[in-house]
Amino acid sequence: MKRITTVAELRQLVNAARSEGKKVGLVPTMGALHVGHISLVERCVAENDVTVVSVFVNPTQFNDKRDLELYPRTPEADCAMLEKAGCTYVFTPSVEEVYPEPDTRVFELGTVAEVMEGRFRPGHFNGVAQIVSKLFDMVAPHRAYFGEKDFQQIAVIRAMAAQLQFDIDIVACPIVREEDGLALSSRNTRLTAEQRRNAPRIAETLFASLEYAKTHTVAETINFVVDTINAVPEMKVEYYEIVDGISLLPVEDWNKSNFVVGCITVYNGEVRLIDNIAYCRP
Ligand code: PAF
């Protein structure tokens, strides 16, 4: 595995690989890697000749300065995990290398970027679109891999890629969970022991809601999830929405869509956790 810090070297190496007819896959990350990220890297390695993993804590997608400061950074451990997983190039640029000039682009990506996280984290998806479009331009991969834990993010990235006409296959990979059900997240390391003990209640409630939904309406199911999780010490649901898996617009009736996903954000103490579950898929 080679570590790259400049855009020029990254472009040169991936261009060389592409001109030899090699397939290039990209896994964008913000580091603090865990088994969930590694599952994306392993899939990328299995499906491509060259795997590029970017490790970059992107400042433009943090609408909360404190969240940016507290975001975990573990570069040495990340590189060791990536090497083991078969990564070809790890790209670890500085902020100045990625943003030599402030990125003033404002993306208009429609409702997929405006609902849910778009409402609660203004500017977040614009920052994601900025960095991912830059990475797509620098690497020009054949495929790019993203985890379904950030369900809405994938829809936003698809919208950005369509708008900018990137010919890249966006591959959505399933959520990886701890044995107790908690969705893997770099933010989990910030939980206190007590918060970590309670955290699996989020997934447990989402899974219980699959059964509950069979005999209840969408509105009743939302209330069931919100009330159950809010009853857990230190937990506060920011939103729970049951939406169409493509448009991300709320679904009012189970029969109105063949792809129905529940998306949740919960504050567990100070730590903001997200998760989602599919009630049905095409
Ligand atoms: O999902 C993430 O870790 C980030 O939002 C991403 C896609 C790497 C962009 O910074």
Side-chain angles (χ1 to χ4, degrees):
M1 182 179 78
K2 184 173 170 51
R3 194 164 168 172
I4 303 169
T5 55
T6 66
V7 176
E9 191 180 15
L10 177 67
R11 282 192 197 279
Q12 187 212 322
L13 290 169
V14 287
N15 285 347
R18 232 179 296 100
S19 64
E20 286 167 20
K22 291 185 174 159
K23 292 281 181 216
V24 178
L26 169 68
V27 184
T29 81
M30 296 207 298
L33 301 182
H34 50 64
V35 176
H37 295 111
I38 297 305
S39 74
L40 307 182
V41 177
E42 285 173 349
R43 178 147 174 205
C44 185
V45 169
E47 295 179 354
N48 300 279
D49 303 305
V50 168
T51 290
V52 180
V53 179
S54 58
V55 174
F56 179 65
V57 182
N58 173 40
T60 72
Q61 70 187 76
F62 285 82
N63 54 323
D64 177 349
K65 240 179 126 223
R66 191 166 150 72
D67 195 24
L68 173 60
E69 278 161 21
L70 292 177
Y71 202 84
R73 289 160 172 89
T74 56
E76 298 316 317
D78 292 347
C79 284
M81 286 170 90
L82 290 174
E83 175 120 51
K84 196 157 162 245
C87 167
T88 322
Y89 300 126
V90 55
F91 180 48
T92 56
S94 64
V95 173
E96 295 71 33
E97 183 69 16
V98 174
Y99 296 109
E101 303 287 334
D103 192 337
T104 54
R105 289 174 299 161
V106 177
F107 288 82
E108 299 290 345
L109 299 170
T111 44
V112 291
E114 287 158 10
V115 296
M116 300 191 286
E117 293 293 280
R119 219 155 19 95
F120 288 95
R121 298 184 73 188
H124 167 65
F125 283 134
N126 201 63
V128 170
Q130 288 175 342
I131 183 61
V132 176
S133 62
K134 275 179 177 273
L135 291 168
F136 281 5
D137 177 64
M138 292 167 194
V139 179
H142 297 89
R143 303 186 185 93
Y145 296 78
F146 298 90
E148 278 194 331
K149 184 171 78 65
D150 296 291
F151 189 81
Q152 186 175 4
Q153 173 170 274
I154 297 180
V156 169
I157 289 168
R158 285 192 201 284
M160 175 279 291
Q163 200 171 86
L164 299 183
Q165 297 181 306
F166 282 113
D167 183 16
I168 296 171
D169 187 9
I170 312 276
V171 185
C173 304
I175 298 178
V176 179
R177 297 183 181 279
E178 299 279 7
E179 264 187 27
D180 59 16
L182 177 64
L184 293 190
S185 163
S186 306
R187 290 194 163 87
N188 293 349
T189 55
R190 290 175 46 203
L191 298 170
T192 64
E194 167 80 3
Q195 290 163 354
R196 175 62 189 83
R197 260 194 304 280
N198 290 332
R201 297 290 298 280
I202 301 170
E204 190 185 296
T205 307
L206 293 181
F207 282 108
S209 79
L210 294 179
E211 197 53 38
Y212 187 93
K214 290 181 184 160
T215 50
H216 294 83
T217 65
V218 172
E220 286 165 346
T221 306
I222 292 174
N223 288 339
F224 165 76
V225 168
V226 172
D227 294 346
T228 309
I229 295 177
N230 280 343
V232 179
E234 291 196 71
M235 284 210 192
K236 180 91 189 84
V237 175
E238 187 166 56
Y239 64 82
Y240 184 54
E241 293 200 17
I242 295 182
V243 299
D244 175 81
I246 303 294
S247 70
L248 304 191
L249 291 173
V251 166
E252 265 130 44
D253 186 321
W254 295 118
N255 303 318
K256 287 275 161 64
S257 166
N258 64 349
F259 189 11
V260 178
V261 182
C263 298
I264 195 158
T265 296
V266 181
Y267 274 96
N268 187 357
E270 267 205 354
V271 186
R272 192 172 184 274
L273 300 177
I274 65 172
D275 202 344
N276 63 77
I277 195 147
Y279 290 92
C280 61
R281 276 183 186 270

